[in-house]
Amino acid sequence: MPDRSQARGPRVFTRAATGLVREAGWFDALVYNVNFISVGLMVALMFLFMPSYGGVSLPLSLLFCALLALPTAATYGMLAAIMPRSGGDYVYVSRVLGPAWGMMSNWNTTVWWVLYGGVPSAFLASFGIAPFMRILAAFTGNEDVLRFADWAASPTGMFVIGALLIVVLTGLFILGLRVYFRVQNVLFILAMLATALVVLVALVRSPAVLQSNLAQYLGNLAGRPDILEALLRESGYQPQPFDLRNTIITMTWIYLTMGFSFSSAYIGGEVKQASKIQVWAIPGTVVYALVWGLLLVWSVSRAVGADLIGAISTLGDAGASAVGLAAAPRFHELIALGSGSLLVAFLIGFGFIFWSYAWLPGQILNASRNLVAYAIDGLMPSALAWVSPRFHTPVVSLVVMGSLSIVSLAIYVFTPYFATLVGIFGFLLTFIMVSLSAVLLPYRRPELFTGSPVAWRLGRLPVLSLVGAISIVACLVMQWAYLNDPYSGISLDPSTLREGILGFGMFLLNIAIFVSGLVIYAIARWWRARQGIDLSLAYREIPVE
């Protein structure tokens, strides 16, 4: 008997509903994006690393970075309004440029989110719990608390604490976004309270009183009353005149967090009124981070002093032992100790714990939704798209992401093969693909554009195309910065291969990860073709809810 299915032509999957539910309101989406930037962590990285480059203007660098991040955020916001589905750039690029390009673009982000799962989970200990315990030890003189702080900042401590965090977060995500958003919003309020307290203390306390308190309590930790003088002396820090190049290059540390304001685009199928909310919630997040970042940088610099901040940055964690400290004090530690109040210090230290890891939930959630999108389109096993009918969450994809994040945590804390900044160049390759899709969407998919809530034009030019073009330029500027930052861990210099994987080896790895999505798509298309399924037919429509 003839095969009737073949006679009718290639088959395509019947696309049933995903089972995901729109549970995120406007506040949930905004906080989700702000957490991915993680304002407190962004400023902590600025103070810890950027002054050591020499001649860096922190406020100017922050402003430059925001101006570069904003067009990409606006691009994602507009695309998320046009195609309000989970999967983010996978949906946008595949429906405009084609399925192979969509897979290459999005697989790249998924791999890097897996690899970067180790960074914020380790930061929970080194930027959150360890500083909090040091604050308590400084006020109470409890040696056991100080020893726990030192253990928490050790590789073993970072791994144990980070792995527990990943397990807890994965469990929360399985219970449902409604449960997670309740927890997220409460912790966000605590983090913002601590942030506001830092600004308040830095402005109300006179610099002389604050530095006197700081010398006393930081001296308790180091076991020396001359701790501030020792920091300045041992670091050898000398103020340098303004350096525009260093101010631009050090945006790498800010963009590490500020460049990812569009996290809610990847859970677009779970955001209520996504077509209205996303278009302002995503770029609005950059503005929010800029305002609070400028407030923190200005107030803390005024209170602590540029010389002390520069000395701490120059010593870093590795050099802190020269003055009797286990690690370089974070900026919120300085203000907490300088407040002279145990209660205020407690609130600051406790609240900042919830900034330290804040981008990790988005990584696990977003990547799990990417896996769901692949499975729905037939690129990966259907089990990845299975959604619990009770919790409305993709359990298998979440467990996969949680497990891989623990592996990446071990790589980050126990090996020298992964530097903090090395993958952002790779992320920028995806951002360029998304921006190119925005430029071309009004021309390649005019029916989507004209019926969308962002069908705006300047004369005959679609605003979406204009914003996408500006975003491409902004991304290229940031790629230049990462390739020229001597501490980014990525380089175009082939001679660095002799020194290990960092440098030119990481540049090659970034390119290889980006291209690997094409290989995966080719294999999936070949396999489905053998089953009589034309994979490309699934990409002619926006994915189902």
mmCIF file of all heavy atoms in Angstrom, residues 8 27 133 171 196 220-221 296 300 314 340 364 379 414 451 504:
data_model
loop_
_atom_site.group_PDB
_atom_site.id
_atom_site.type_symbol
_atom_site.label_atom_id
_atom_site.label_comp_id
_atom_site.label_asym_id
_atom_site.label_seq_id
_atom_site.Cartn_x
_atom_site.Cartn_y
_atom_site.Cartn_z
ATOM 1 N N ARG A 8 1.094 13.163 0.335
ATOM 2 C CA ARG A 8 0.592 14.504 0.648
ATOM 3 C C ARG A 8 1.708 15.516 0.815
ATOM 4 O O ARG A 8 1.459 16.696 0.998
ATOM 5 C CB ARG A 8 -0.233 14.452 1.950
ATOM 6 C CG ARG A 8 -1.566 13.745 1.806
ATOM 7 C CD ARG A 8 -2.418 14.016 3.024
ATOM 8 N NE ARG A 8 -1.802 13.520 4.250
ATOM 9 C CZ ARG A 8 -2.054 12.321 4.761
ATOM 10 N NH1 ARG A 8 -2.876 11.497 4.136
ATOM 11 N NH2 ARG A 8 -1.484 11.946 5.878
ATOM 12 N N PHE A 27 5.173 44.718 37.300
ATOM 13 C CA PHE A 27 6.189 44.840 38.350
ATOM 14 C C PHE A 27 7.100 43.619 38.365
ATOM 15 O O PHE A 27 8.319 43.740 38.540
ATOM 16 C CB PHE A 27 5.518 45.027 39.711
ATOM 17 C CG PHE A 27 6.485 45.324 40.825
ATOM 18 C CD1 PHE A 27 7.129 46.547 40.898
ATOM 19 C CD2 PHE A 27 6.754 44.376 41.799
ATOM 20 C CE1 PHE A 27 8.039 46.819 41.929
ATOM 21 C CE2 PHE A 27 7.645 44.627 42.828
ATOM 22 C CZ PHE A 27 8.285 45.862 42.895
ATOM 23 N N MET A 133 29.061 38.552 56.656
ATOM 24 C CA MET A 133 29.640 37.947 57.859
ATOM 25 C C MET A 133 30.827 38.759 58.368
ATOM 26 O O MET A 133 31.053 38.862 59.581
ATOM 27 C CB MET A 133 30.061 36.505 57.565
ATOM 28 C CG MET A 133 28.923 35.594 57.109
ATOM 29 S SD MET A 133 27.503 35.571 58.223
ATOM 30 C CE MET A 133 28.173 34.664 59.608
ATOM 31 N N GLY A 171 14.283 24.405 42.387
ATOM 32 C CA GLY A 171 13.065 23.947 43.051
ATOM 33 C C GLY A 171 11.965 25.003 43.019
ATOM 34 O O GLY A 171 10.797 24.690 42.776
ATOM 35 N N ALA A 196 19.310 52.073 49.206
ATOM 36 C CA ALA A 196 18.927 53.410 49.658
ATOM 37 C C ALA A 196 19.658 53.785 50.947
ATOM 38 O O ALA A 196 20.064 54.945 51.134
ATOM 39 C CB ALA A 196 17.415 53.470 49.863
ATOM 40 N N ASN A 220 39.517 46.284 63.155
ATOM 41 C CA ASN A 220 39.214 45.092 63.954
ATOM 42 C C ASN A 220 39.385 43.820 63.120
ATOM 43 O O ASN A 220 39.863 42.791 63.629
ATOM 44 C CB ASN A 220 37.785 45.160 64.479
ATOM 45 C CG ASN A 220 37.592 46.237 65.532
ATOM 46 O OD1 ASN A 220 38.564 46.755 66.082
ATOM 47 N ND2 ASN A 220 36.345 46.589 65.808
ATOM 48 N N LEU A 221 38.974 43.871 61.851
ATOM 49 C CA LEU A 221 39.094 42.701 60.982
ATOM 50 C C LEU A 221 40.552 42.407 60.656
ATOM 51 O O LEU A 221 40.971 41.244 60.603
ATOM 52 C CB LEU A 221 38.311 42.925 59.683
ATOM 53 C CG LEU A 221 36.785 42.996 59.778
ATOM 54 C CD1 LEU A 221 36.191 43.293 58.415
ATOM 55 C CD2 LEU A 221 36.219 41.699 60.341
ATOM 56 N N LEU A 296 24.898 55.840 43.631
ATOM 57 C CA LEU A 296 25.820 55.063 44.462
ATOM 58 C C LEU A 296 27.264 55.490 44.229
ATOM 59 O O LEU A 296 28.030 55.684 45.179
ATOM 60 C CB LEU A 296 25.650 53.568 44.170
ATOM 61 C CG LEU A 296 24.384 52.915 44.725
ATOM 62 C CD1 LEU A 296 24.174 51.537 44.125
ATOM 63 C CD2 LEU A 296 24.459 52.809 46.254
ATOM 64 N N VAL A 300 29.148 57.278 47.409
ATOM 65 C CA VAL A 300 30.198 56.474 48.033
ATOM 66 C C VAL A 300 31.571 57.092 47.787
ATOM 67 O O VAL A 300 32.418 57.138 48.693
ATOM 68 C CB VAL A 300 30.137 55.022 47.508
ATOM 69 C CG1 VAL A 300 31.345 54.220 48.002
ATOM 70 C CG2 VAL A 300 28.850 54.349 47.954
ATOM 71 N N THR A 314 43.299 48.550 43.513
ATOM 72 C CA THR A 314 44.647 48.149 43.084
ATOM 73 C C THR A 314 45.103 46.890 43.797
ATOM 74 O O THR A 314 45.706 45.999 43.192
ATOM 75 C CB THR A 314 45.647 49.293 43.336
ATOM 76 O OG1 THR A 314 45.213 50.460 42.632
ATOM 77 C CG2 THR A 314 47.045 48.915 42.877
ATOM 78 N N GLY A 340 28.865 53.105 61.673
ATOM 79 C CA GLY A 340 29.038 53.034 63.119
ATOM 80 C C GLY A 340 27.870 52.425 63.849
ATOM 81 O O GLY A 340 27.859 52.364 65.078
ATOM 82 N N ILE A 364 18.966 30.680 34.437
ATOM 83 C CA ILE A 364 18.371 29.341 34.472
ATOM 84 C C ILE A 364 16.993 29.347 33.818
ATOM 85 O O ILE A 364 16.677 28.490 32.984
ATOM 86 C CB ILE A 364 18.278 28.836 35.929
ATOM 87 C CG1 ILE A 364 19.682 28.677 36.531
ATOM 88 C CG2 ILE A 364 17.526 27.507 35.986
ATOM 89 C CD1 ILE A 364 19.675 28.293 37.999
ATOM 90 N N LEU A 379 13.685 20.599 17.123
ATOM 91 C CA LEU A 379 15.143 20.568 17.034
ATOM 92 C C LEU A 379 15.775 19.692 18.100
ATOM 93 O O LEU A 379 16.907 19.243 17.947
ATOM 94 C CB LEU A 379 15.710 21.986 17.157
ATOM 95 C CG LEU A 379 15.403 22.942 16.014
ATOM 96 C CD1 LEU A 379 15.856 24.342 16.364
ATOM 97 C CD2 LEU A 379 16.079 22.476 14.733
ATOM 98 N N PHE A 414 37.106 26.240 40.643
ATOM 99 C CA PHE A 414 38.214 25.313 40.874
ATOM 100 C C PHE A 414 39.256 25.296 39.758
ATOM 101 O O PHE A 414 40.290 24.639 39.901
ATOM 102 C CB PHE A 414 37.684 23.888 41.081
ATOM 103 C CG PHE A 414 36.909 23.711 42.358
ATOM 104 C CD1 PHE A 414 35.624 23.184 42.338
ATOM 105 C CD2 PHE A 414 37.458 24.068 43.580
ATOM 106 C CE1 PHE A 414 34.899 23.014 43.512
ATOM 107 C CE2 PHE A 414 36.739 23.902 44.759
ATOM 108 C CZ PHE A 414 35.455 23.372 44.726
ATOM 109 N N GLY A 451 0.917 45.169 11.875
ATOM 110 C CA GLY A 451 -0.122 44.839 12.850
ATOM 111 C C GLY A 451 0.350 44.891 14.284
ATOM 112 O O GLY A 451 -0.388 44.516 15.193
ATOM 113 N N PHE A 504 43.569 34.466 22.897
ATOM 114 C CA PHE A 504 43.109 34.105 21.563
ATOM 115 C C PHE A 504 42.317 32.796 21.585
ATOM 116 O O PHE A 504 41.387 32.609 20.792
ATOM 117 C CB PHE A 504 44.301 33.970 20.616
ATOM 118 C CG PHE A 504 43.908 33.845 19.169
ATOM 119 C CD1 PHE A 504 43.259 34.880 18.523
ATOM 120 C CD2 PHE A 504 44.187 32.676 18.457
ATOM 121 C CE1 PHE A 504 42.893 34.768 17.184
ATOM 122 C CE2 PHE A 504 43.824 32.562 17.117
ATOM 123 C CZ PHE A 504 43.182 33.615 16.485
#
